[in-house]
Amino acid sequence: MADTLLELKGEYDSFLRQERYGHVDRISTAIDDYAHRTKNLKVEGWGCPRVNISMSELRSFEHKVEGWGCPRVNISMSELRSFEQLSQRLRQDPLRHMRALEAACHEIAQESRPGYDKNGIQIKVALSGPIGATPLSPRGLDSAMLRQLVAVEGVATKVSAIKPKVVKSVHYCPSTKQHSERNYVDSTDPHLGLHAVDNNGREQPDRIINITPSVYPTKDKDGNLLETEFGLSEFKDHQTITLQEMPEKAPMGQLP
């Protein structure tokens, strides 16, 4: 079994390059669809950039692409199951395997569409198909399933609004005329607990990605005031969904 990121990426690269499933063409199509959507967006309004999205465009793209924020390719768990038990290994250690799978997709995307990531956007992976024998219910989740890939079936009783969460903040100090930046990692980060990766794509054994303090800097180490450069900072979408057990699957005599 592969242990390092490079070994895992090599296995997923071999899987993706198989002509049987045509993943290389699907990755290229996902990038082309994303570029087409981005090109067709119209900017309106005086006070701020405003994107005009037609409902007819949304309906036409519904069954073709996934995700507006980045190119996304759909990979079936059934296809992974046929290649050296990758499906089972991904379920048992999804964080490491998803990072390696997306790194392999990114490498193929750079070959087929050079420069697609010039704006810092990289291709993502969406998994589909059966993950286990049967989907779990919220009542069936326990501590043994921590850090494993599971499918949960239930009723969404509460869905929060999509809110921005800061990933990297960039600050400017008028006194020193210098820029500084700070990265933030919380419990929802998909790379939490993994080894950090250098610029060459190699894991650093002596560095683990841990939760960082959430204190937002307003002054530098010398006490000078800092101004936030929102245009240079990075944010990600964050949403919370509350699932409830389906009434027809609740145990006899108990409420969902």
Side-chain angles (χ1 to χ4, degrees):
M1 181 180 295
D3 293 325
T4 66
L5 175 61
L6 291 179
E7 291 174 340
L8 283 176
K9 189 175 74 171
E11 289 193 33
Y12 282 109
D13 186 79
S14 301
F15 163 74
L16 293 170
R17 294 184 187 276
Q18 291 186 105
E19 297 183 359
R20 177 181 178 183
Y21 301 114
H23 287 115
V24 175
D25 293 336
R26 285 154 61 178
I27 291 173
S28 301
T29 302
I31 297 173
D32 293 340
D33 289 339
Y34 172 78
H36 178 70
R37 295 197 311 272
T38 305
K39 184 178 179 181
N40 288 344
L41 294 179
K42 301 177 181 179
V43 179
E44 300 178 356
W46 287 90
C48 61
R50 189 178 302 275
V51 175
N52 184 17
I53 300 177
S54 171
M55 292 303 295
S56 60
E57 294 177 356
L58 284 174
R59 284 190 290 269
S60 65
F61 285 124
E62 181 179 0
H63 302 290
K64 298 179 183 178
V65 293
E66 300 180 14
W68 284 87
C70 62
R72 190 178 299 271
V73 62
N74 191 359
I75 295 180
S76 172
M77 294 292 291
S78 301
E79 298 170 354
L80 285 169
R81 193 174 295 112
S82 64
F83 191 84
E84 298 185 4
Q85 298 180 342
L86 281 179
S87 174
Q88 179 180 357
R89 292 160 58 189
L90 188 148
R91 291 199 310 269
Q92 295 174 351
D93 193 3
L95 300 183
R96 293 177 61 248
H97 282 257
M98 283 298 296
R99 182 165 72 169
L101 177 56
E102 291 184 346
C105 289
H106 174 61
E107 189 172 285
I108 294 175
Q110 285 182 316
E111 295 176 2
S112 59
R113 299 294 186 270
Y116 90 98
D117 59 339
K118 60 182 179 181
N119 294 326
I121 295 178
Q122 296 187 3
I123 191 168
K124 298 293 183 181
V125 172
L127 298 177
S128 62
I131 294 178
T134 57
L136 297 172
S137 67
R139 189 190 300 268
L141 292 174
D142 54 30
S143 60
M145 299 172 186
L146 289 174
R147 298 181 71 87
Q148 293 189 11
L149 184 65
V150 297
V152 182
E153 192 176 60
V155 179
T157 59
K158 184 179 180 181
V159 179
S160 69
I162 299 178
K163 301 177 182 179
K165 178 180 288 189
V166 63
V167 177
K168 182 181 74 173
S169 62
V170 180
H171 308 274
Y172 174 73
C173 180
S175 301
T176 60
K177 301 186 183 304
Q178 293 183 350
H179 284 84
S180 61
E181 63 180 43
R182 175 175 294 187
N183 295 316
Y184 302 88
V185 178
D186 61 4
S187 59
T188 64
D189 193 284
H191 297 157
L192 181 64
L194 301 181
H195 292 286
V197 179
D198 59 16
N199 296 330
N200 296 324
R202 298 180 179 274
E203 289 181 325
Q204 299 176 335
D206 57 340
R207 288 189 58 193
I208 301 294
I209 300 176
N210 294 315
I211 296 177
T212 58
S214 58
V215 179
Y216 201 76
T218 57
K219 297 181 180 180
D220 63 7
K221 59 181 180 180
D222 298 324
N224 299 316
L225 293 178
L226 296 177
E227 297 177 356
T228 302
E229 297 280 5
F230 291 100
L232 300 178
S233 302
E234 295 181 9
F235 300 86
K236 66 179 180 181
D237 293 336
H238 176 70
Q239 188 177 30
T240 302
I241 300 176
T242 302
L243 283 181
Q244 177 180 286
E245 186 178 31
M246 291 190 291
E248 62 269 22
K249 293 191 175 182
M252 184 68 67
Q254 299 185 23
L255 295 175

